[in-house]
Amino acid sequence: GDHRDLHLSLRRQRQMCIRDRLYFYRLGHRDMPRNYLNFSSAGNPSKTYGGPLLVAAILLSIVLWCKVHTGFVLLCLGGLLFFAGLGWIDDSLKVRHRDSDHGLSEVAKLALQGAYCTAFGIVYVTADLTPLPPDLATQLYVPFLKFPLFDLSLFYVLFIVFTITAISNSVNIADGVDGLAVVPTAFVIAVFGVFAYISSHARFAEFLIFPFMPGVGEVAIICSIVFGSCLGFLWFNSYPANVIMGDTGSMLSLIHI
């Protein structure tokens, strides 16, 4: 009886999906990738400048409100400049060729991302370079557990390479619908900002059983800056979008996550 009910439920869901698709198809909706030729040729090519504007706003705010000489801020700035530059090159090629398929190749993107992530991981796990306490830099924590599972040691570099590369491509893929990438990015950044503030406060960290990391409060400030920038950008990026972030903005979003 349970298997039959499950089969009927799945069948009804499939029928509803088919019916909804037919409805939107008759209305003229099509699932198509954004065409840079049609998007930027409407007499306002500045629509494609959303990413550089987002980068400029975040950079200026970080310089004004953060202690730029600290390790946490330097790591964030390095990632911001690298990935924003990578996205800008990709967007420039797409606009120049007037085709969204003529940007950087997937191989080139993965190679450059892998090179940066490897360098970042080496800095992150090296005791003399990392801004984290040496006993925490390579510990693997998971949600809902207040203690590390185990010490990854040098394998943490591979974990960093996989994580940053996976997030970068997921955000980049999601940035195809107006407002789709910037909204989840803003809320994820906000949550990470709260975590960073708690970890930087000795009493809060002890009470909530968070690892105490002196100086990580600067990351909370950066998260607040990115959150505010995303909300401001969303005003102009919601449907129908006046500007798009492009790869410059999506790459920037991923590195902060």
Side-chain angles (χ1 to χ4, degrees):
D2 294 339
H3 292 287
R4 184 178 179 182
D5 293 340
L6 178 61
H7 177 73
L8 290 175
S9 177
L10 293 175
R11 185 176 178 181
R12 289 173 182 172
Q13 291 180 6
R14 181 172 177 271
Q15 291 174 347
M16 291 178 63
C17 290
I18 294 174
R19 184 179 60 188
D20 291 342
R21 288 182 180 180
L22 289 175
Y23 172 76
F24 286 110
Y25 186 85
R26 289 167 184 160
L27 291 179
H29 293 280
R30 301 292 185 272
D31 186 11
M32 299 176 64
R34 173 173 285 140
N35 190 317
Y36 273 67
L37 173 60
N38 293 334
F39 186 80
S40 61
S41 62
N44 188 10
S46 63
K47 288 182 176 182
T48 59
Y49 297 160
L53 289 175
L54 197 61
V55 173
I58 293 175
L59 276 176
L60 180 61
S61 300
I62 290 176
V63 172
L64 289 175
W65 303 113
C66 295
K67 298 178 181 178
V68 183
H69 63 279
T70 59
F72 289 107
V73 177
L74 290 176
L75 284 177
C76 289
L77 282 176
L80 186 155
L81 293 173
F82 179 86
F83 278 89
L86 182 62
W88 182 80
I89 293 173
D90 191 28
D91 287 337
S92 298
L93 292 173
K94 291 176 181 178
V95 173
R96 179 185 304 173
H97 296 287
R98 306 177 73 83
D99 191 341
S100 58
D101 293 329
H102 283 76
L104 284 173
S105 66
E106 296 298 329
V107 175
K109 280 185 182 180
L110 289 175
L112 292 172
Q113 290 171 4
Y116 170 82
C117 295
T118 302
F120 177 86
I122 293 173
V123 172
Y124 189 88
V125 303
T126 303
D128 295 333
L129 298 176
T130 181
L132 292 169
D135 58 331
L136 293 176
T138 57
Q139 299 288 340
L140 180 64
Y141 285 83
V142 297
F144 307 111
L145 294 180
K146 297 298 185 178
F147 53 87
L149 291 183
F150 43 81
D151 189 345
L152 288 177
S153 187
L154 293 179
F155 288 102
Y156 207 93
V157 176
L158 297 178
F159 178 76
I160 289 174
V161 172
F162 170 78
T163 302
I164 297 181
T165 304
I167 294 176
S168 67
N169 290 286
S170 63
V171 174
N172 200 11
I173 292 172
D175 183 32
V177 178
D178 299 338
L180 180 59
V182 69
V183 173
T185 296
F187 285 103
V188 171
I189 287 291
V191 173
F192 285 161
V194 173
F195 289 168
Y197 177 75
I198 293 174
S199 294
S200 69
H201 197 291
R203 292 186 178 180
F204 289 165
E206 181 182 5
F207 179 75
L208 297 173
I209 320 179
F210 271 61
F212 175 57
M213 293 180 284
V216 80
E218 297 297 317
V219 177
I221 298 175
I222 294 176
C223 289
S224 302
I225 291 171
V226 177
F227 178 74
S229 301
C230 288
L231 291 185
F233 179 78
L234 179 62
W235 180 266
F236 301 97
N237 185 242
S238 58
Y239 181 84
N242 294 319
V243 293
I244 61 173
M245 64 167 57
D247 281 7
T248 306
S250 62
M251 291 284 186
L252 169 72
S253 302
L254 77 93
I255 191 58
H256 283 103
I257 294 178

